[in-house]
């Protein structure tokens, strides 16, 4: 299910009347109030991913948080919810009813839960087209549009990958000698293509990490990189280090040459919602 729903519609459309849970990996889109609120974000619309918050220092295990997934502050945690946010009878997840009732207190004091849209994690079926290497010479008029396109990691053109950037990685069959018979292909991910967002793992001395942003394991942290991954003087993830250590730290069977990267995107408008009365 990759359609957008209001929070009030979501439970019935996704799971039926008996379930009150927003699972990790769901995406929320939140419009800013008008005029823009300086204490919020400067973007017209904000995207958030529901994440399992343990790697970010949360207690107890299983509580959820919202990670910023768009705009200038993409890759930062927005909020980690309290234990009371857990759905009744669950040790993980986020209660839809609790989120609606506590939206102004915990997420956005000036916004309304009625204006929020939500969708399930999306599986990616194919890799996108790659931008031309001539993007650096494009005119200033076209630069903002051009920057939203994908580039290969090995020709990224920047020494540092900043938080909020998206890495898109195609899956490959693990070689037979590396196959784990206990879990099969799930030694990686079952999806044809997996997106990761570069996050600022504040609990880990300023180092970066990768959080899964699509598919079956969306909302989980894949890896927190070591201190050596930080580009000195830039305070971000070293592109050269990531390329050199791709197989060791990210994907043993994949290749850095096949990875695509793009900058964080600004969302300009809300998507169209899907009616509860689906055909």
């Amino acid at each position: 299910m990759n359609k957008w729903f209001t929070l009030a519609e979501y439970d019935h459309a996704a799971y039926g009347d008996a379930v009150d849970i927003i699972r990790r990996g769901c995406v929320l889109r939140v419009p800013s109030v008008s005029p823009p609120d300086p204490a919020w974000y400067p973007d017209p619309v904000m995207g958030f991913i529901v994440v399992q918050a343990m790697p970010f220092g949360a207690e107890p295990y299983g509580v959820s948080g919202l990670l910023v997934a768009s705009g200038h502050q993409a890759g930062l945690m927005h909020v980690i919810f309290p234990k009371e946010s857990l759905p009744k009878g669950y040790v993980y997840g986020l209660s839809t009813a609790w989120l609606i009732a506590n939206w102004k207190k915990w997420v956005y004091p000036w916004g309304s839960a009625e204006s929020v849209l939500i969708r399930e994690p999306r599986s990616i079926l194919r890799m996108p087209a790659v931008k031309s290497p001539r993007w650096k010479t494009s005119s200033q008029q076209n630069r903002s549009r051009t920057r939203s396109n994908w580039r290969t990691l090995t020709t990224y053109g920047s020494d540092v990958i900043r938080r909020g950037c998206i890495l898109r990685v195609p899956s490959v069959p693990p070689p037979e000698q590396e196959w784990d018979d206990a879990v099969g292909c799930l030694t990686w991910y079952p999806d044809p293509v997996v997106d990761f967002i570069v996050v600022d793992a504040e609990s880990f001395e300023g180092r970066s990490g990768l959080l899964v942003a699509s598919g079956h394991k969306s909302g989980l942290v894949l890896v927190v990189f070591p201190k050596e991954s930080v580009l000195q003087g830039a305070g971000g993830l070293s592109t050269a280090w990531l390329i050199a250590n791709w197989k060791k730290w990210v994907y043993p069977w994949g290749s850095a040459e096949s990875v695509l990267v793009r900058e964080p995107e600004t969302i300009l408008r809300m998507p169209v919602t899907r009616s509860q009365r689906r055909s």
Side-chain angles (χ1 to χ4, degrees):
M1 183 187 72
N2 287 324
K3 301 298 183 181
W4 294 92
F5 297 87
T6 65
L7 284 177
E9 293 174 331
Y10 172 68
D11 277 340
H12 175 76
Y15 302 113
D17 294 329
V19 180
D20 171 37
I21 184 172
I22 297 174
R23 303 182 190 274
R24 60 168 170 76
C26 287
V27 177
L28 302 182
R29 283 207 174 165
V30 183
S32 295
V33 294
S34 182
D37 170 28
W40 179 241
Y41 297 93
D43 306 296
V45 178
M46 288 301 301
F48 298 94
I49 298 176
V50 178
V51 300
Q52 184 172 297
M54 263 304 294
F56 302 93
E59 292 290 349
Y61 184 87
V63 299
S64 296
L66 294 182
L67 182 108
V68 184
S70 67
H72 179 66
Q73 297 196 49
L76 289 178
M77 284 295 292
H78 175 70
V79 64
I80 295 174
F81 296 117
K83 184 178 180 180
E84 295 74 38
S85 68
L86 294 171
K88 186 176 181 180
Y90 283 78
V91 294
Y92 64 90
L94 176 61
S95 163
T96 311
W98 183 92
L99 182 63
I100 292 172
N102 291 275
W103 183 262
K104 290 180 179 289
K105 178 180 178 180
W106 279 93
V107 185
Y108 190 13
W110 300 276
S112 168
E114 286 74 21
S115 65
V116 180
L117 299 184
I118 183 172
R119 68 162 171 80
E120 289 282 283
R122 175 175 295 158
S123 291
I124 303 168
L125 301 179
R126 59 183 64 87
M127 297 288 280
V130 183
K131 85 171 13 177
S132 168
R134 295 175 295 186
W135 71 274
K136 289 184 178 180
T137 61
S138 62
S139 68
Q140 190 65 37
Q141 180 180 1
N142 294 329
R143 189 69 59 88
S144 60
R145 176 183 59 82
T146 308
R147 278 182 180 155
S148 67
N149 292 338
W150 295 90
R151 286 167 269 164
T152 60
L153 179 61
T154 50
T155 60
Y156 179 45
S158 173
D159 292 334
V160 63
I161 302 173
R162 64 189 181 102
R163 59 169 171 76
C165 285
I166 301 292
L167 302 181
R168 186 160 283 187
V169 185
S171 296
V172 297
E176 187 175 354
Q177 65 270 24
E178 298 286 352
W179 192 272
D180 188 336
D181 291 329
V183 292
C185 64
L186 293 182
T187 46
W188 178 241
Y189 296 94
D191 308 293
V193 179
V194 184
D195 271 2
F196 300 93
I197 184 170
V198 178
V199 299
D200 186 353
E202 293 180 341
S203 299
F204 297 91
E205 302 174 343
R207 290 174 281 160
S208 296
L210 294 182
L211 181 131
V212 188
S214 70
H216 180 66
K217 293 189 176 182
S218 183
L220 290 178
V221 170
L222 169 71
V223 63
V224 174
F225 295 119
K227 292 181 180 179
E228 304 82 69
S229 67
V230 178
L231 183 65
Q232 296 302 317
L237 178 60
S238 166
T239 306
W241 183 93
L242 183 61
I243 293 171
N245 291 274
W246 183 260
K247 290 180 178 288
K248 178 180 178 180
W249 279 92
V250 184
Y251 192 10
W253 306 291
S255 167
E257 286 73 19
S258 66
V259 179
L260 301 185
V261 60
R262 70 161 171 80
E263 296 287 305
E265 290 187 337
T266 297
I267 305 171
L268 299 178
R269 59 184 62 88
M270 294 289 281
V272 176
T273 57
R274 183 172 188 171
S275 169
Q276 279 185 295
R277 296 182 178 180
R278 295 177 293 169
S279 56

